[in-house]
């Protein structure tokens, strides 16, 4: 059995994030710290299966709040971060793009800064093993016709505030 790790998951009460949380609790020895703002897309019921496990912890916080992210990272002391928190849905982004800029761009930046400050405190072995996994969307590549597929080498071509904000967050993480 692999050694226990501490994994911080952002957006872990959302559709995909909750599946990640449930899988980690069900199939691994790891501790999971779920950081979620619990907006319209995040529901505690989605992770109810994990909630009674002593390896699970829910932290209600906004990824765009620097103090909250510093506190969450300090409390969770992660070995890895799985960043899923995001505003999504193209139509919502057209109706209200500011929320997408705040969460997807500023939130990713804020989380990166909190994690970088924490990472700098780690000993060299833990630093080398540390991972930050950022989850994006195929929407950053634009529209796909009836045939073909996107590849990692496909140029970015965002077509909505949602996809533009996710493309920006991708670039922040890569930088």
């Amino acid at each position: 059995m692999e050694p226990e790790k501490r994994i911080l998951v952002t957006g872990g009460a959302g559709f995909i994030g909750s599946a990640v949380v449930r899988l980690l609790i069900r199939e691994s020895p790891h501790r999971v710290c779920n950081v979620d703002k619990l907006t319209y897309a995040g529901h505690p019921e989605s992770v109810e299966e994990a909630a009674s496990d002593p390896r699970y912890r829910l932290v209600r916080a906004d990824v765009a709040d620097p103090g909250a992210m510093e506190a969450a990272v300090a409390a969770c002391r992660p070995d890895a971060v799985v960043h899923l928190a995001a505003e999504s849905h193209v139509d919502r982004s057209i109706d209200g793009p500011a929320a997408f800029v705040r969460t997807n761009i500023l939130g990713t930046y804020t989380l990166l800064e909190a994690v970088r400050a924490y990472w700098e405190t780690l000993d060299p072995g833990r630093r080398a093993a540390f991972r930050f996994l950022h989850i994006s969307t195929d929407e950053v590549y634009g529209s796909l016709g009836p045939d073909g597929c996107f590849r990692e080498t496909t140029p970015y071509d965002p077509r909505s505030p949602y996809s533009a904000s996710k493309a920006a967050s991708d670039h922040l993480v890569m930088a």
Side-chain angles (χ1 to χ4, degrees):
M1 182 185 260
E2 63 183 307
E4 175 187 292
K5 303 263 190 237
R6 290 183 301 272
I7 302 173
L8 188 152
V9 177
T10 67
F15 180 70
I16 296 171
S18 65
V20 170
V21 167
R22 292 189 309 268
L23 178 73
L24 286 168
I25 291 296
R26 194 181 317 125
E27 309 267 332
S28 80
H30 306 315
R31 295 187 169 278
V32 176
C33 184
N34 177 5
V35 177
D36 199 295
K37 190 175 175 183
L38 299 178
T39 62
Y40 72 95
H43 307 283
E45 303 81 42
S46 301
V47 288
E48 199 169 286
E49 169 188 326
S52 62
D53 193 295
R55 296 173 299 128
Y56 175 78
R57 175 180 184 183
L58 174 64
V59 175
R60 187 173 187 170
D62 181 351
V63 292
D65 178 338
M69 286 307 96
E70 290 167 12
V73 170
C76 297
R77 298 181 349 264
D79 298 296
V81 173
V82 180
H83 179 38
L84 290 134
E87 292 289 336
S88 61
H89 306 300
V90 171
D91 291 347
R92 287 187 64 252
S93 77
I94 293 167
D95 292 339
F100 288 75
V101 170
R102 183 176 194 283
T103 299
N104 299 352
I105 301 173
L106 182 59
T108 297
Y109 169 77
T110 300
L111 179 64
L112 283 167
E113 286 298 297
V115 169
R116 184 186 51 78
Y118 163 76
W119 178 84
E120 288 176 346
T121 71
L122 300 177
D123 66 62
R126 284 196 65 206
R127 274 188 192 187
F130 191 91
R131 295 293 178 264
F132 187 102
L133 179 63
H134 170 71
I135 309 305
S136 188
T137 176
D138 66 335
E139 300 269 348
V140 300
Y141 300 117
S143 297
L144 186 63
D147 297 315
C149 60
F150 295 126
R151 303 195 188 305
E152 289 83 359
T153 56
T154 301
Y156 276 53
D157 187 22
R159 307 268 177 108
S160 70
Y162 165 57
S163 58
S165 67
K166 288 300 287 182
S169 70
D170 290 355
H171 291 302
L172 283 171
V173 171
M174 288 187 281

